[in-house]
Amino acid sequence: MTVVLTNSPSLTPLLARGALRSPFKRPSPDANFPRTRLVLPGIRVDLARLAAYERVCGFPTGDDALPITFPHLLGFPSAMLLMSDRDFPLPLLGLVHTSIEITRRHPLPATADYELTVYVQELTPHHRGTEAAVVTEARTGGTVVWESRSTYLARHRTNDRAAPPSDKHPLPSPGPLPTIAEWHLAGDVGRRYGTISGDRNPIHLHPLTARL
C-alpha cells in the first residue's frame, strides 16, 4: 500500500509515540511489519537549514549540490513515522542505527524539487537480536537520483540463528589498522545536529540521557 503525505511528519510527537509503545513490542525476525510505502512529493530544500547542516557536519557551504547525506535528513521523519507505528515490531527505545549504505545516481541540485519514498524492506535475524532494513529513495522527474538502505538493531535474546561468523570459524587476529584520519568533534555537536535535524535522540544529547 502507498500513502502520499502532504507534509513532512514532526519528529517530536513520533519520538514520544514510539517511546510509549516500546514496552509493548515483541521483536522477532519472523514478526509482521508494515508494508506501507510513504511518499512525500514536492520537497523544496530550505537553503538556510541546508547551510546550517553543512556547517555542523563539515561540508563546504554555498555549493549548488546537496551533500550526499542530506536526503537522509529529509527522509528520516517518514522513517520514524513507520518505526513508531503500532504494527512495527521493534521498540524505538534502544534501537541502534547500525549501518547505512548510500547511492547517489545523479547530481542533487539544492534548488530541485524532490519526491521521497520510504519503506521497511525486511526484518532479519542478528546474533544480538533483530535488524530492520529501511529504504529511502529520492526522485526528480520520476527518476531515482539517490537511495539509501539503513539497518536498525533491536537487541534481545536470540536462539543464535545468526551467530557471528567468528564464533564458528575463528579468524586469525589481524594486525593494527592504519590511521586514515582523525576527527576532533566538539562536545555539543550532537545537540547542534539535533537542533537542525529535529532528531533529538537522547543518545546524542548528553552522557546522562545516553546512559538511560
Side-chain angles (χ1 to χ4, degrees):
M1 180 176 67
T2 298
V3 174
V4 179
L5 304 175
T6 56
N7 49 52
S8 183
S10 176
L11 275 174
T12 300
L14 293 178
L15 290 169
R17 182 176 78 169
L20 290 173
R21 289 176 173 171
S22 289
F24 306 100
K25 299 299 181 79
R26 297 294 179 265
S28 165
D30 301 319
N32 292 322
F33 60 90
R35 262 56 176 195
T36 305
R37 288 175 176 251
L38 299 180
V39 177
L40 181 61
I43 298 174
R44 296 297 298 261
V45 173
D46 181 333
L47 297 182
R49 184 188 189 198
L50 172 62
Y53 175 88
E54 290 169 335
R55 287 192 293 269
V56 168
C57 296
F59 290 106
T61 58
D63 287 352
D64 180 53
L66 298 178
I68 192 171
T69 53
F70 192 76
H72 173 76
L73 180 146
L74 299 177
F76 187 67
S78 296
M80 285 297 303
L81 183 60
L82 290 172
M83 291 191 290
S84 64
D85 187 81
R86 188 186 308 275
D87 294 331
F88 186 72
L90 308 188
L92 201 58
L93 285 181
L95 203 62
V96 181
H97 191 183
T98 48
S99 73
I100 183 168
E101 300 174 7
I102 295 176
T103 304
R104 181 174 56 194
R105 301 193 178 278
H106 297 281
L108 303 171
T111 54
D113 288 340
Y114 293 95
E115 177 184 274
L116 290 179
T117 301
V118 181
Y119 61 93
V120 180
Q121 184 183 54
E122 62 180 348
L123 299 180
T124 56
H126 185 280
H127 68 276
R128 291 186 176 177
T130 298
E131 270 190 334
V134 179
V135 173
T136 302
E137 299 168 343
R139 289 176 170 82
T140 57
T143 300
V144 176
V145 294
W146 181 98
E147 59 188 313
S148 72
R149 183 180 186 274
S150 287
T151 55
Y152 297 89
L153 172 65
R155 291 169 290 185
H156 59 85
R157 298 186 66 176
T158 70
N159 58 8
D160 203 35
R161 284 186 295 172
S166 59
D167 289 355
K168 297 180 179 178
H169 305 286
L171 299 174
S173 299
L177 297 175
T179 299
I180 302 300
E182 292 185 4
W183 293 358
H184 299 276
L185 307 178
D188 66 346
V189 69
R191 293 187 290 276
R192 290 165 56 208
Y193 179 82
T195 298
I196 294 164
S197 66
D199 180 15
R200 292 180 173 84
N201 188 326
I203 292 176
H204 303 156
L205 300 183
H206 191 275
L208 293 179
T209 58
R211 186 175 298 277
L212 290 173

